[in-house]
mmCIF file with all atom_site columns, all heavy atoms in Angstrom:
data_model
loop_
_atom_site.group_PDB
_atom_site.id
_atom_site.type_symbol
_atom_site.label_atom_id
_atom_site.label_alt_id
_atom_site.label_comp_id
_atom_site.label_asym_id
_atom_site.label_entity_id
_atom_site.label_seq_id
_atom_site.pdbx_PDB_ins_code
_atom_site.Cartn_x
_atom_site.Cartn_y
_atom_site.Cartn_z
_atom_site.occupancy
_atom_site.B_iso_or_equiv
_atom_site.pdbx_formal_charge
_atom_site.auth_seq_id
_atom_site.auth_comp_id
_atom_site.auth_asym_id
_atom_site.auth_atom_id
_atom_site.pdbx_PDB_model_num
ATOM 1  N N   . GLY A 1 48  ? -56.162 6.468   -15.119 1.00 95.00 ? 48  GLY A N   1
ATOM 2  C CA  . GLY A 1 48  ? -56.420 7.487   -16.089 1.00 95.00 ? 48  GLY A CA  1
ATOM 3  C C   . GLY A 1 48  ? -55.455 8.671   -15.976 1.00 95.00 ? 48  GLY A C   1
ATOM 4  O O   . GLY A 1 48  ? -55.406 9.488   -16.885 1.00 95.00 ? 48  GLY A O   1
ATOM 5  N N   . SER A 1 54  ? -49.556 11.905  -10.409 1.00 89.00 ? 54  SER A N   1
ATOM 6  C CA  . SER A 1 54  ? -49.902 10.978  -9.300  1.00 89.00 ? 54  SER A CA  1
ATOM 7  C C   . SER A 1 54  ? -49.495 11.567  -7.976  1.00 89.00 ? 54  SER A C   1
ATOM 8  O O   . SER A 1 54  ? -48.582 12.446  -7.920  1.00 89.00 ? 54  SER A O   1
ATOM 9  C CB  . SER A 1 54  ? -49.236 9.637   -9.525  1.00 89.00 ? 54  SER A CB  1
ATOM 10 O OG  . SER A 1 54  ? -47.804 9.751   -9.295  1.00 89.00 ? 54  SER A OG  1
ATOM 11 N N   . ILE A 1 95  ? -41.416 -4.636  -7.422  1.00 96.00 ? 95  ILE A N   1
ATOM 12 C CA  . ILE A 1 95  ? -40.910 -5.235  -8.673  1.00 96.00 ? 95  ILE A CA  1
ATOM 13 C C   . ILE A 1 95  ? -41.639 -4.561  -9.829  1.00 96.00 ? 95  ILE A C   1
ATOM 14 O O   . ILE A 1 95  ? -42.882 -4.434  -9.772  1.00 96.00 ? 95  ILE A O   1
ATOM 15 C CB  . ILE A 1 95  ? -41.135 -6.760  -8.686  1.00 96.00 ? 95  ILE A CB  1
ATOM 16 C CG1 . ILE A 1 95  ? -40.459 -7.437  -7.512  1.00 96.00 ? 95  ILE A CG1 1
ATOM 17 C CG2 . ILE A 1 95  ? -40.562 -7.329  -9.990  1.00 96.00 ? 95  ILE A CG2 1
ATOM 18 C CD1 . ILE A 1 95  ? -40.787 -8.922  -7.419  1.00 96.00 ? 95  ILE A CD1 1
ATOM 19 N N   . ARG A 1 139 ? -17.520 -12.689 27.611  1.00 92.00 ? 139 ARG A N   1
ATOM 20 C CA  . ARG A 1 139 ? -17.378 -13.822 28.497  1.00 92.00 ? 139 ARG A CA  1
ATOM 21 C C   . ARG A 1 139 ? -16.113 -14.607 28.174  1.00 92.00 ? 139 ARG A C   1
ATOM 22 O O   . ARG A 1 139 ? -15.449 -15.152 29.087  1.00 92.00 ? 139 ARG A O   1
ATOM 23 C CB  . ARG A 1 139 ? -18.602 -14.718 28.372  1.00 92.00 ? 139 ARG A CB  1
ATOM 24 C CG  . ARG A 1 139 ? -18.639 -15.908 29.272  1.00 92.00 ? 139 ARG A CG  1
ATOM 25 C CD  . ARG A 1 139 ? -18.473 -15.511 30.710  1.00 92.00 ? 139 ARG A CD  1
ATOM 26 N NE  . ARG A 1 139 ? -18.466 -16.642 31.603  1.00 92.00 ? 139 ARG A NE  1
ATOM 27 C CZ  . ARG A 1 139 ? -17.923 -16.672 32.835  1.00 92.00 ? 139 ARG A CZ  1
ATOM 28 N NH1 . ARG A 1 139 ? -17.343 -15.556 33.311  1.00 92.00 ? 139 ARG A NH1 1
ATOM 29 N NH2 . ARG A 1 139 ? -17.992 -17.731 33.580  1.00 92.00 ? 139 ARG A NH2 1
ATOM 30 N N   . ASP A 1 179 ? 28.769  -35.363 59.195  1.00 79.00 ? 179 ASP A N   1
ATOM 31 C CA  . ASP A 1 179 ? 29.883  -34.486 59.029  1.00 79.00 ? 179 ASP A CA  1
ATOM 32 C C   . ASP A 1 179 ? 29.514  -33.411 57.993  1.00 79.00 ? 179 ASP A C   1
ATOM 33 O O   . ASP A 1 179 ? 28.524  -33.553 57.258  1.00 79.00 ? 179 ASP A O   1
ATOM 34 C CB  . ASP A 1 179 ? 31.162  -35.236 58.613  1.00 79.00 ? 179 ASP A CB  1
ATOM 35 C CG  . ASP A 1 179 ? 30.972  -36.050 57.328  1.00 79.00 ? 179 ASP A CG  1
ATOM 36 O OD1 . ASP A 1 179 ? 30.798  -35.425 56.286  1.00 79.00 ? 179 ASP A OD1 1
ATOM 37 O OD2 . ASP A 1 179 ? 30.846  -37.296 57.457  1.00 79.00 ? 179 ASP A OD2 1
#
Side-chain angles (χ1 to χ4, degrees):
S54 71
I95 303 174
R139 183 55 181 158
D179 56 70

